[in-house]
Amino acid sequence: MATETPLRSVGSAPLDDPGTGRPVPAPSDGPGTRLRRLIGVDEALLSWVPEERTRYTWYGALVLNTALLGALSMSLALGTFRSDLPLAAVLGAAAVWFWVVLAMDSWLVSSTHGTAVRKWSLTLRLFLSVLLGLFIAEPILFQIFDKEIRQEISVGNAQKVADYRGMLVACNPADGASTADRPGCGRHQLKVAGSPAELAAQIESNETRMTTLQAQVTRINEALDGKMATEQRECGPDRWIRRGGGWDVTITCERARKDSSSYRTTSKIDTYEKQLAGMRDKAQTLEAKRNRASDAYQPLLQKTIDDKTRERAAGLDSQGILTRAHALHTVAGSDGFALFITVVLHLLLVSLDALPVLAKFMSGATMYDRVLGARFDASRRLYTEELQVEQACVRMEHDVRRHRVEQDTAERKRRTEHAHQRAQAERAARERTELEERMERIMRARRV
């Protein structure tokens, strides 16, 4: 690429401008031309300073290398973070990213040509190049430290799983006791049916309900016994009366019987006694379950803890970009040499991408920039003069149009005045003719 076609071959006659007879530089043609075209170099203008061709050829090569590095970075990133994508999709995305980086760097470099570029403008372009370099550098760093990152992620995930299992074991004791009051156990309690603590709570609740219901039944039975005693006392043989030729109970006895029967129905004593019997049976069943729960609950609890641990392990990410970034940060923070290598590689990759603008920033204006600046100045002057000529032509054309309009206006005024005078003369002639005709009629009338 450094070998280019010279301004003119040795021993050959110079090319002459047919209009002026002055020598015209021969245009360059070669593989470096395509590289220089990437950064917007004008080959016809560069022919006047052929010494700059090598510089701008490698300048274009730097831009092309940055785009290739960006495509490689994108393919590595997609291949690592989205391993489910087909190869065609990865290559397509890498090609698109290659074009984006190439277009951006080509614009950044081509916009620096010329001597009028200011340092602050170059600084902004350098800042954009650094941002682009940081984006390109990360996937490559992930591949360089891939083994360490995978190991750190594996160790970190194993520690997370172990901590999670430890919290499950600590927050779910073998006896099933509640640990809701312990710090950190609110999200780690498991619902396992048949725990001894749960059964004990059910037995205690059942006993409390039995005690309450038993007191209620006792109270109802005491009231019912009092009513039955009243019925027996009022309905005894000593209280019978004669009625209809025989013996019969009194109205008070009938009221007592009705009151006791009504109270048995409204108090629901039979329902409560059935419920109390059912609670006693449930208490025996729960007691039997609690005796067997100590042997059956622990295997169920262990199986639930194992299932939750496997779910936790399966849910941990090991390929995400944030996970790998955190792992890289941990690796760099845990070892000074790893941190040094990370910083150096970051700077190297960022410098590779920012090198085109950085080279322009350090080298300053070249001879090509001066020639291009001179052409800019000449074009600006020519354009200014062209505008002045156009303005003068337009002004003269306007004067001609104004003079034509003035002449036309004057001619129209003359025609209008002539037409007006002729109309007045014709009107006067008609009036004289009309007067003469009247005078003639008057004279004839007098003679007659």
Side-chain angles (χ1 to χ4, degrees):
M1 288 184 290
T3 304
E4 298 291 344
T5 304
L7 183 63
R8 60 186 181 89
S9 59
V10 179
S12 62
L15 298 175
D16 294 335
D17 187 345
T20 62
R22 292 175 297 181
V24 178
S28 174
D29 187 16
T33 305
R34 298 180 180 86
L35 293 177
R36 293 192 295 271
R37 193 177 300 161
L38 292 177
I39 55 176
V41 173
D42 188 352
E43 289 297 324
L45 189 62
L46 187 63
S47 298
W48 291 94
V49 282
E51 298 82 4
E52 300 287 345
R53 284 175 180 166
T54 303
R55 177 201 298 267
Y56 284 98
T57 299
W58 289 112
Y59 218 165
L62 288 177
V63 173
L64 180 62
N65 290 339
T66 302
L68 291 175
L69 191 64
L72 176 62
S73 173
M74 178 60 69
S75 61
L76 291 177
L78 292 178
T80 302
F81 307 136
R82 293 295 304 275
S83 57
D84 56 327
L85 290 177
L87 180 60
V90 174
L91 294 179
V96 172
W97 185 238
F98 168 81
W99 170 250
V100 171
V101 176
L102 182 63
M104 185 177 296
D105 278 343
S106 297
W107 171 78
L108 288 174
V109 173
S110 62
S111 61
T112 61
H113 296 327
T115 57
V117 179
R118 297 178 177 86
K119 292 296 183 181
W120 65 267
S121 179
L122 286 176
T123 303
L124 291 179
R125 291 175 175 85
L126 182 62
F127 177 71
L128 292 176
S129 298
V130 170
L131 290 182
L132 186 62
L134 288 175
F135 187 81
I136 293 175
E138 291 302 318
I140 298 178
L141 285 174
F142 289 155
Q143 290 298 320
I144 294 175
F145 291 98
D146 182 68
K147 183 177 180 180
E148 291 78 7
I149 290 175
R150 290 181 181 276
Q151 183 178 0
E152 179 63 29
I153 293 175
S154 178
V155 172
N157 289 346
Q159 185 61 42
K160 291 178 182 178
V161 172
D163 294 342
Y164 181 73
R165 184 180 182 86
M167 291 298 297
L168 291 179
V169 173
C171 296
N172 297 276
D175 58 354
S178 176
T179 58
D181 56 339
R182 294 184 186 179
C185 286
R187 298 182 295 105
H188 295 87
Q189 286 188 322
L190 300 176
K191 299 295 183 180
V192 181
S195 65
E198 182 181 356
L199 293 174
Q202 293 179 8
I203 291 174
E204 183 179 357
S205 175
N206 188 65
E207 289 178 352
T208 302
R209 293 174 58 193
M210 283 178 59
T211 302
T212 304
L213 188 58
Q214 182 64 52
Q216 186 176 1
V217 169
T218 300
R219 186 170 59 255
I220 294 174
N221 284 332
E222 289 176 353
L224 185 60
D225 290 343
K227 293 182 180 296
M228 292 299 295
T230 301
E231 179 184 352
Q232 290 177 1
R233 185 176 62 254
E234 296 294 335
C235 296
D238 57 340
R239 299 291 181 95
W240 289 359
I241 59 174
R242 293 189 64 82
R243 184 182 297 171
W247 297 93
D248 196 1
V249 297
T250 62
I251 296 176
T252 305
C253 174
E254 292 178 354
R255 289 177 179 174
R257 286 178 178 176
K258 185 177 180 181
D259 184 38
S260 61
S261 299
S262 176
Y263 184 74
R264 177 179 291 275
T265 303
T266 57
S267 63
K268 300 180 181 180
I269 183 62
D270 296 334
T271 302
Y272 293 153
E273 288 179 345
K274 290 180 180 179
Q275 291 179 357
L276 188 59
M279 289 181 182
R280 292 192 183 98
D281 295 339
K282 184 178 180 180
Q284 295 177 358
T285 302
L286 290 175
E287 190 66 31
K289 287 184 178 179
R290 184 173 65 175
N291 295 332
R292 297 191 302 268
S294 58
D295 297 331
Y297 175 72
Q298 190 169 0
L300 291 176
L301 178 62
Q302 186 66 33
K303 182 178 181 302
T304 305
I305 292 176
D306 294 340
D307 294 341
K308 290 292 184 180
T309 303
R310 283 193 294 269
E311 291 179 3
R312 176 65 173 173
L316 292 176
D317 180 44
S318 60
Q319 295 294 332
I321 184 172
L322 293 180
T323 302
R324 296 178 69 85
H326 292 160
L328 179 60
H329 180 268
T330 304
V331 170
S334 61
D335 185 80
F337 184 73
L339 177 61
F340 173 75
I341 293 297
T342 303
V343 173
V344 169
L345 288 176
H346 262 106
L347 293 177
L348 177 61
L349 294 174
V350 169
S351 299
L352 286 178
D353 185 73
L355 190 58
V357 178
L358 189 62
K360 184 69 176 182
F361 189 82
M362 293 185 301
S363 62
T366 63
M367 183 59 67
Y368 173 78
D369 291 327
R370 296 186 181 91
V371 173
L372 183 60
R375 192 173 74 172
F376 286 159
D377 294 337
S379 298
R380 184 170 58 253
R381 288 194 301 270
L382 289 175
Y383 181 69
T384 303
E385 293 176 0
E386 182 68 23
L387 286 179
Q388 293 174 354
V389 171
E390 290 182 0
Q391 291 176 359
C393 293
V394 170
R395 188 179 300 110
M396 288 185 292
E397 181 67 24
H398 181 71
D399 292 339
V400 170
R401 290 175 58 190
R402 183 174 59 185
H403 182 70
R404 183 183 298 115
V405 171
E406 291 175 352
Q407 293 294 330
D408 183 63
T409 302
E411 181 65 26
R412 291 171 62 185
K413 285 182 179 179
R414 286 195 298 271
R415 288 199 300 268
T416 303
E417 184 65 23
H418 178 71
H420 178 66
Q421 292 176 357
R422 185 174 61 183
Q424 286 182 342
E426 291 177 354
R427 185 166 57 252
R430 286 195 301 270
E431 290 177 353
R432 284 195 301 271
T433 303
E434 184 177 355
L435 288 175
E436 291 175 355
E437 290 177 353
R438 285 183 179 181
M439 290 297 295
E440 186 178 356
R441 285 197 300 271
I442 293 173
M443 292 302 294
R444 283 198 304 267
R446 286 181 178 180
R447 286 196 298 268
V448 173

